[in-house]
Amino acid sequence: ETGVTQTPRHLVMGMTNKKSLKCEQHLGHNAMYWYKQSAKKPLELMFVYNFKEQTENNSVPSRFSPECPNSSHLFLHLHTLQPEDSALYLCASNGGGRGTGELFFGEGSRLTVL
Amino acid sequence: GQNIDQPTEMTATEGAIVQINCTYQTSGFNGLFWYQQHAGEAPTFLSYNVLDGLEEKGRFSSFLSRSKGYSYLLLKELQMKDSASYLCAVRDQYGNKLVFGAGTILRVKS
């Protein structure tokens, strides 16, 4: 039990499909993040939300659309993706004034685009 | 810009000591983190340094030199379960973002 839950764990989609990734945190944090992890590359920050407001969009293509309805939930809506978008998508959270501010990660959603 | 370098892979023997280095050049600095990530699992927090010096936590220690832009993670009494990827990350001066290195894959052999 990591405190940050992501669904689905695995997703295969065609380039014309529309799907969504979901993240939920039960840690009382006020910041949530989407990271992309590709093989042999650094974790790549995509989006940051603080208190439901987007504070960072790291030049992510518009085919990725985030949504943060409240401080506990974060979505990543996917449409017309490309094969190079295949990767592990990690959600993380932190904040609330506790600890060192380290990120708490979910297990990730492994995405394959055909 | 942001640049974080760490070796791609390392191999060590069970029971031995291994040091994983990380160098960084970033536009701001507000702490350095080490994470462990086993294959197919979430990264988990190992250590945090914001001041120069050594932080020890059981078999794991982390060192920071801010003037040199350098950190290392020291793993003692290696166990097979320590085989994983080790990620170095620097937090920006605003405290919002962590920038990660590509990770070091550590293989522990018997």
Side-chain angles (χ1 to χ4, degrees):
Chain A
E1 179 62 50
T2 65
V4 180
T5 305
Q6 290 187 242
T7 54
R9 293 291 311 278
H10 299 273
L11 178 63
V12 179
M13 59 187 289
M15 289 190 285
T16 58
N17 292 159
K18 288 185 181 181
K19 298 286 184 183
S20 296
L21 307 181
K22 179 183 176 183
C23 177
E24 185 173 357
Q25 59 98 358
H26 309 280
L27 301 170
H29 292 156
N30 49 39
M32 295 187 78
Y33 306 74
W34 280 116
Y35 278 88
K36 176 183 179 182
Q37 188 174 35
S38 303
K40 300 189 187 300
K41 290 185 179 179
L43 268 126
E44 182 182 334
L45 179 65
M46 300 175 72
F47 301 103
V48 181
Y49 278 81
N50 277 284
F51 295 101
K52 305 189 302 178
E53 299 299 320
Q54 188 181 119
T55 55
E56 182 88 18
N57 177 337
N58 199 23
S59 302
V60 180
S62 59
R63 57 186 184 269
F64 294 91
S65 174
E67 179 189 0
C68 189
N70 55 60
S71 293
S72 298
H73 293 84
L74 185 65
F75 295 88
L76 188 63
H77 304 300
L78 316 169
H79 60 100
T80 59
L81 295 190
Q82 304 298 313
E84 60 264 28
D85 297 323
S86 298
L88 181 68
Y89 289 85
L90 289 163
C91 174
S93 69
N94 72 350
R98 294 179 290 276
T100 60
E102 73 269 24
L103 293 176
F104 290 78
F105 285 90
E107 301 278 351
S109 294
R110 172 73 61 187
L111 173 66
T112 302
V113 181
L114 301 176
Chain B
Q2 319 273 36
N3 192 41
I4 299 176
D5 289 315
Q6 45 181 135
T8 305
E9 296 183 11
M10 299 181 72
T11 301
T13 304
E14 194 175 14
I17 300 173
V18 71
Q19 177 175 311
I20 302 174
N21 296 324
C22 172
T23 57
Y24 63 91
Q25 300 94 39
T26 56
S27 54
F29 180 85
N30 191 15
L32 186 141
F33 296 79
W34 284 95
Y35 282 80
Q36 180 191 61
Q37 186 178 23
H38 286 100
E41 297 183 11
T44 54
F45 169 72
L46 285 179
S47 68
Y48 170 70
N49 296 73
V50 67
L51 300 177
D52 290 352
L54 189 68
E55 294 285 339
E56 297 186 77
K57 191 188 292 186
R59 293 189 298 115
F60 293 5
S61 303
S62 57
F63 172 82
L64 175 67
S65 168
R66 288 172 296 170
S67 63
K68 295 182 180 178
Y70 168 70
S71 173
Y72 66 73
L73 180 70
L74 193 71
L75 293 78
K76 302 176 184 176
E77 301 169 15
L78 279 174
Q79 302 175 9
M80 299 300 289
K81 67 178 182 179
D82 297 328
S83 294
S85 181
Y86 291 85
L87 311 177
C88 173
V90 172
R91 182 163 60 190
D92 69 0
Q93 67 269 36
Y94 305 110
N96 266 351
K97 299 192 303 185
L98 256 61
V99 178
F100 284 82
T104 299
I105 297 173
L106 173 66
R107 295 188 174 87
V108 180
K109 59 180 183 179
S110 57

